[in-house]
């Protein structure tokens, strides 16, 4: 995958870009959603205060860890908070409120052309996929139009798609909880809420967030893979959207759920319909993560082997587990302060990659700032007794030692004697038995 080609779309770290028409479309439709969904929530609390409070509590406990998990899916760039908030707001407010009218129209049409029984069984499958999936993915498209520089790979599309879908699912689940109380006669508020939450939240892990993440992969592919023909990119996006439509249609249809009977049979049918979609999402995520890693390697190619990014360090940055392994080792040998500095070093190296990818827009200043930060962190690490090969003046493989500076291959960084206090080398990190006698 080629390095991204940044464009001057404004501040790439914020959704607040009033010069972009897409920004005002997002603000306007989200405001309409606030008014409509807000009135519905207020009415629900007036009629069923206990059930509404329980529903909000359960869905919040469900959403917060999910958001944290999705937020960490991108290994090389944490998405800006304003962009995350915009994705959740679009899904939970704009898309949900607009979908209510569209779904009702199709339900009415199904009743007239078919029958009320047909509309009850097949209406959700006929109405929800075209209306809801289109509205949700429109939010990801708007985010691309507002801040295209944030979409460096298809993985960014997946992350924002999952956030939009999660926002939609949380608000929709709240509405379903209130409807369940109403259908139960309004006497018992706890039971209907708990039952709805189990079916739609716990069993529905592969519901809206999954569908929109799959469709979002296609949007991210169009935005980032500018080394491919536009027709090919649009074909990939269309294929992802068709998969999202189809998965949503099957999930809402009576297929399988009616075959196993009531009660536990319905749950079994939902699981059988959902697992293949979840497996597909995992495969797509692994593919997107591999493309993200390729993008990052291309972006930092000119820095690898220098005093700011060693080859071993680049390998360590490729996965969360390898990063954690390094920080855990340093914490065990040198303590929390040193481990925190290593984490900061890794973060600064990730920032270096982003700065390199956007240097055609921002120039060399951001790249040089990232280099300076890394070098200062190396000095602090050296004072803590943690040595990265090629960073200490006069050490083997350092810039003062000759052409091999910063090189991982053939340097003393791979020598077990330069490893931990127990005599073992871990990654590109060397931990000395005593603090080095070197000044900045």
């Amino acid at each position: 995958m080629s390095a991204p080609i940044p464009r001057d779309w404004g501040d790439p770290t914020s959704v607040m870009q009033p010069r972009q028409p897409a920004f005002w479309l997002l603000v306007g439709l989200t405001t309409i959603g606030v008014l409509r969904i807000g009135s519905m929530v207020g009415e629900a609390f007036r009629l069923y205060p206990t059930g509404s409070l329980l529903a909000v509590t359960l869905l919040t406990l469900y959403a917060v860890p999910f958001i944290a998990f999705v937020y960490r899916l991108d290994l090389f760039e944490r998405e800006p908070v304003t962009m995350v908030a915009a994705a959740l707001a679009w899904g939970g407010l704009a898309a949900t409120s607009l979908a209510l009218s569209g779904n009702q129209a199709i339900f009415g049409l199904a009743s007239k052309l078919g029958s009320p029984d047909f509309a009850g069984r097949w209406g959700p499958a006929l109405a929800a996929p075209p209306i809801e999936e289109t509205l949700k993915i429109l939010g990801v498209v708007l985010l691309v139009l507002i801040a295209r520089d944030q979409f460096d790979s298809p993985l960014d599309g997946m992350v924002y798609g999952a956030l939009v879908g999660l926002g939609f699912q949380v608000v929709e689940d709240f509405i379903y909880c209130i409807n369940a109380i109403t259908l139960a006669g309004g006497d018992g508020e706890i039971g209907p809420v708990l039952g709805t939450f189990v079916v739609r939240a716990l069993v529905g892990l592969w519901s809206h967030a999954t569908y929109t993440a799959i469709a979002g992969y296609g949007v991210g592919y169009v935005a980032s893979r500018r080394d491919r023909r536009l027709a090919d990119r649009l074909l990939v996006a269309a294929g992802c959207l068709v998969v999202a439509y189809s998965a949503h249609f099957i999930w809402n249809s009576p297929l399988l759920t009616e075959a196993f009977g009531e009660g536990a049979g319905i749950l079994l049918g939902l699981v059988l319909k959902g697992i293949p979609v979840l497996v597909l999402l995992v495969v797509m995520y692994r593919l997107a993560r591999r493309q993200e890693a390729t993008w990052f390697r291309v972006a930092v190619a000119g820095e690898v082997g220098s005093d700011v990014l060693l080859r071993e360090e680049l390998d360590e940055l490729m996965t969360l587990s390898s990063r954690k392994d390094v920080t855990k080792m340093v914490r065990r040998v040198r303590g929390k302060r040193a481990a925190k500095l290593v984490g900061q070093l890794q973060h600064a190296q990730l920032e270096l990659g982003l700065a390199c990818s956007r240097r055609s827009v921002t120039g060399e200043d951001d790249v040089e700032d990232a280099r300076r930060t890394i070098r200062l962190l190396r000095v602090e690490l050296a004072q803590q007794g943690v040595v990265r090969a090629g960073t200490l003046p006069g050490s083997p493989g350092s810039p003062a030692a000759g052409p091999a500076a910063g090189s991982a291959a053939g340097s003393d960084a791979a020598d077990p004697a330069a490893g931990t206090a127990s005599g073992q080398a871990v990654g590109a990190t060397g931990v000395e038995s005593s603090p080095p006698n070197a000044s900045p």
Side-chain angles (χ1 to χ4, degrees):
M1 183 177 179
S2 66
I5 306 172
R7 296 178 58 180
D8 189 9
W9 289 76
D11 181 6
T13 63
S14 173
V15 75
M16 303 300 295
Q17 299 192 48
R19 294 184 179 181
Q20 297 295 337
F23 168 77
W24 293 109
L25 180 59
L26 184 145
V27 170
L29 294 178
T30 302
T31 301
I32 294 175
V34 169
L35 298 175
R36 187 170 187 183
I37 299 300
S39 65
M40 294 176 62
V41 172
E43 183 68 9
F45 270 92
R46 186 184 69 82
L47 294 174
Y48 313 115
T50 302
S52 298
L53 180 60
L54 177 61
V56 169
T57 303
L58 291 175
L59 291 171
T60 300
L61 294 176
Y62 168 80
V64 170
F66 197 104
I67 293 172
F69 171 76
V70 173
Y71 188 68
R72 294 180 63 84
L73 288 179
D74 194 331
L75 300 181
F76 300 100
E77 179 185 16
R78 291 288 179 261
E79 311 302 342
V81 175
T82 56
M83 294 282 287
V84 171
L88 291 169
W90 176 269
L93 299 171
T96 307
S97 62
L98 294 172
L100 290 173
S101 302
N103 288 344
Q104 291 172 358
I106 294 183
F107 265 91
L109 186 62
S111 297
K112 292 179 180 180
L113 298 180
S115 66
D117 179 67
F118 174 79
R121 295 177 64 242
W122 287 95
L126 295 175
I131 298 296
E132 296 176 1
E133 295 306 322
T134 301
L135 289 172
K136 288 187 295 177
I137 201 60
L138 177 60
V140 183
V141 173
L142 287 177
L143 292 178
V144 172
L145 296 176
I146 294 171
R148 186 170 182 175
D149 286 343
Q150 281 300 320
F151 291 78
D152 300 308
S153 78
L155 184 58
D156 293 303
M158 293 189 74
V159 170
Y160 286 114
L163 292 170
V164 170
L166 177 64
F168 189 99
Q169 183 171 340
V170 167
V171 174
E172 186 185 60
D173 286 353
F174 177 82
I175 296 174
Y176 270 90
C177 287
I178 302 305
N179 289 342
I181 298 175
T182 303
L183 291 175
D187 296 330
E189 301 181 20
I190 305 299
V193 170
L194 292 177
T196 303
F197 177 77
V198 170
V199 174
R200 295 195 57 83
L202 299 184
V203 181
L205 289 174
W206 37 76
S207 185
H208 287 289
T210 301
Y211 307 147
T212 319
I214 293 174
Y217 179 98
V219 175
Y221 191 91
V222 172
S224 64
R225 293 304 300 267
R226 282 163 275 177
D227 57 320
R228 302 295 179 89
R229 294 190 311 162
L230 178 61
D232 295 336
R233 289 182 278 157
L234 292 177
L235 184 61
V236 171
C240 292
L241 195 56
V242 168
V243 171
Y245 281 173
S246 302
H248 199 165
F249 175 86
I250 294 173
W251 172 263
N252 281 10
S253 73
L255 298 174
L256 290 181
T257 49
E258 293 183 350
F260 295 100
E262 299 294 330
I266 294 179
L267 295 180
L268 178 59
L270 293 176
V271 170
L272 292 177
K273 289 194 291 187
I275 286 180
V277 182
L278 191 61
V279 171
L280 174 62
L281 178 67
V282 172
V283 172
M284 294 179 68
Y285 169 71
R286 292 178 67 88
L287 176 62
R289 191 175 68 177
R290 186 180 306 168
Q291 293 172 335
E292 184 96 333
T294 302
W295 160 80
F296 188 81
R297 287 182 181 274
V298 170
V300 299
E303 307 293 328
V304 177
S306 69
D307 64 323
V308 295
L309 184 61
L310 306 180
R311 296 188 185 280
E312 293 96 329
E313 291 173 331
L314 178 59
D315 293 336
E316 291 169 0
L317 293 174
M318 290 298 103
T319 65
L320 288 176
S321 60
S322 60
R323 298 176 199 171
K324 289 181 179 178
D325 287 342
V326 173
T327 55
K328 285 181 180 178
M329 185 276 295
V330 173
R331 182 182 295 110
R332 184 174 64 252
V333 178
R334 281 298 175 201
K336 293 183 179 180
R337 170 61 180 166
K340 182 179 179 180
L341 288 172
V342 170
Q344 292 175 352
L345 175 65
Q346 293 172 345
H347 178 74
Q349 290 169 332
L350 295 175
E351 290 294 325
L352 174 65
L354 296 175
C356 289
S357 72
R358 295 168 180 161
R359 73 201 320 162
S360 63
V361 173
T362 60
E364 290 290 330
D365 289 345
D366 289 348
V367 177
E368 190 55 41
D369 287 343
R371 292 173 183 151
R372 187 180 301 109
T373 300
I374 292 172
R375 288 167 180 146
L376 291 174
L377 286 169
R378 291 200 188 280
V379 171
E380 292 189 66
L381 280 167
Q383 294 170 348
Q384 294 292 322
V386 180
V387 181
R388 290 272 179 171
T391 63
L392 285 181
S395 66
S398 69
S407 174
S411 73
D412 289 344
D415 186 352
T420 66
S422 61
Q424 295 178 343
V426 181
T429 304
V431 183
E432 294 187 345
S433 58
S434 60
N437 183 19
S439 63

Coordinates of all heavy atoms in Angstrom, one line a residue, residues 56 95 121 206 244 282 321 438:
V56 N -31.1 3.0 30.5 CA -30.0 3.9 30.3 C -28.8 3.4 31.0 O -27.6 3.4 30.4 CB -30.3 5.4 30.8 CG1 -29.1 6.2 30.8 CG2 -31.4 6.0 29.9
A95 N -28.9 9.6 12.5 CA -29.4 8.4 11.7 C -30.6 7.8 12.3 O -31.5 7.4 11.6 CB -28.2 7.4 11.7
R121 N -43.9 -9.9 10.0 CA -42.8 -10.9 9.9 C -41.7 -10.4 9.1 O -40.5 -10.6 9.5 CB -43.4 -12.2 9.4 CG -44.4 -12.9 10.2 CD -45.0 -14.1 9.6 NE -43.9 -15.1 9.4 CZ -43.5 -15.6 8.2 NH1 -44.1 -15.1 7.1 NH2 -42.6 -16.5 8.2
W206 N -23.1 -8.6 17.1 CA -22.8 -8.5 15.7 C -23.9 -7.7 14.9 O -24.2 -7.9 13.8 CB -22.7 -9.9 15.1 CG -23.7 -10.8 15.7 CD1 -25.1 -10.9 15.5 CD2 -23.5 -11.8 16.7 NE1 -25.7 -11.8 16.2 CE2 -24.7 -12.4 17.0 CE3 -22.3 -12.2 17.3 CZ2 -24.8 -13.4 18.0 CZ3 -22.4 -13.2 18.3 CH2 -23.7 -13.8 18.6
A244 N -23.2 -5.6 4.2 CA -23.9 -5.0 5.4 C -25.4 -5.1 5.2 O -26.1 -5.5 6.1 CB -23.5 -3.6 5.6
V282 N -13.9 -10.0 11.7 CA -12.6 -10.3 12.2 C -11.6 -10.4 11.1 O -10.5 -9.9 11.1 CB -12.6 -11.5 13.1 CG1 -11.2 -11.9 13.5 CG2 -13.4 -11.3 14.3
S321 N 0.4 -6.1 21.5 CA 1.0 -7.1 22.5 C 2.6 -6.9 22.5 O 3.1 -7.0 23.6 CB 0.7 -8.5 22.0 OG 1.2 -8.7 20.7
A438 N 26.6 9.0 31.3 CA 26.6 9.8 30.1 C 25.7 11.0 30.3 O 24.6 10.9 30.9 CB 26.1 8.9 28.9

